[in-house]
Amino acid sequence: MITTLEAPRGVGSRVNSAVAAIVAKPLFWVLAIAVLVTMPIVWAMHLKLPPPLPVLSTVPEFSFVDQNGKPFGTEQLRGKVWVASFVFTRCTGPCPDITKKMAAIQHRARNLEPAFRLVTFSVDPKHDTPERLAEYAKSFHASAFMWSFLTGPVDDVKRFVVKGMKLTMDDDQPDSELADITHDTHFVLVDGAGRIRGYYDSEKPEMEDDILRDAGLLLNRGN
């Protein structure tokens, strides 16, 4: 014979009544809300944040001309986190791939505008007029609000690239259409105070992820 044990009659109702009485007290809800509020804070305190990005250098003030023929430089970028790349429009080497990667960054970071900008500098400024840069920008679906393409006097551009951004740029500026200009292919991350916070190898597969992660850190921490 199988027997079952039954709780004394009235026990269940007494338990339910006790629970109902506790829940009905204002103190219960005060404590419950306090727990819900403090749990994320406690979790955040134990979360190890990545260290701040190093300050590698400071970009000197500059002003060139963008693809619309308008002055563009330090003043327009002040307070913004931005990524720089260096290409020229008649390049048959790495430049198209670099610009495609900038376009991918633009797409992935479109919700960060206007705090985040992209800037492409021509290392062939004698050939790359604003009109040519406008055509080039259009071919990569560059946003007029987020991505600027800059050109200017050769000596000024080279001084900015070499001394300002600490990158290489060939002295030779060929006049033929089949140009071969040696230049650096790194991307550069700059904070809102005009300080260089990172260099990124354009050939590394994780480059885009690294730039977006570090740009996000700068934006979240106020640079």
Side-chain angles (χ1 to χ4, degrees), residues 46-213:
H46 287 85
L47 180 65
K48 186 177 181 180
L49 295 175
L53 297 174
V55 175
L56 305 175
S57 182
T58 299
V59 179
E61 293 201 359
F62 68 95
S63 181
F64 295 121
V65 178
D66 69 11
Q67 69 268 36
N68 300 311
K70 296 180 179 180
F72 188 96
T74 303
E75 198 58 39
Q76 289 72 28
L77 293 168
R78 201 178 304 279
K80 302 180 187 301
V81 173
W82 52 284
V83 175
S85 66
F86 305 84
V87 303
F88 59 107
T89 61
R90 51 183 172 164
C91 172
T92 58
C95 299
D97 187 55
I98 289 172
T99 310
K100 285 179 184 177
K101 290 177 179 177
M102 282 285 271
I105 293 171
Q106 173 188 250
H107 177 72
R108 294 175 61 183
R110 59 192 180 280
N111 294 328
L112 299 179
E113 199 275 330
F116 180 72
R117 296 294 301 264
L118 302 174
V119 186
T120 292
F121 296 84
S122 170
V123 294
D124 184 18
K126 284 202 316 186
H127 179 270
D128 286 339
T129 62
E131 292 78 16
R132 284 195 173 96
L133 289 176
E135 293 176 4
Y136 190 74
K138 185 178 180 180
S139 69
F140 287 94
H141 306 288
S143 165
F145 302 102
M146 191 172 183
W147 191 357
S148 298
F149 293 73
L150 306 186
T151 188
V154 174
D155 291 342
D156 292 347
V157 171
K158 186 187 176 188
R159 187 181 308 110
F160 173 78
V161 173
V162 176
K163 294 185 177 181
M165 304 299 277
K166 313 300 183 187
L167 300 174
T168 59
M169 176 177 165
D170 197 347
D171 284 324
D172 187 25
Q173 293 286 309
D175 293 323
S176 67
E177 282 300 315
L178 297 175
D180 185 15
I181 300 173
T182 302
H183 64 94
D184 206 300
T185 58
H186 280 77
F187 288 73
V188 184
L189 178 64
V190 184
D191 67 20
R195 300 172 300 182
I196 295 175
R197 307 301 290 271
Y199 292 93
Y200 304 83
D201 187 342
S202 62
E203 295 183 358
K204 287 190 174 181
E206 66 274 18
M207 181 273 302
E208 293 172 26
D209 292 337
D210 291 346
I211 287 178
L212 290 167
R213 178 201 63 215

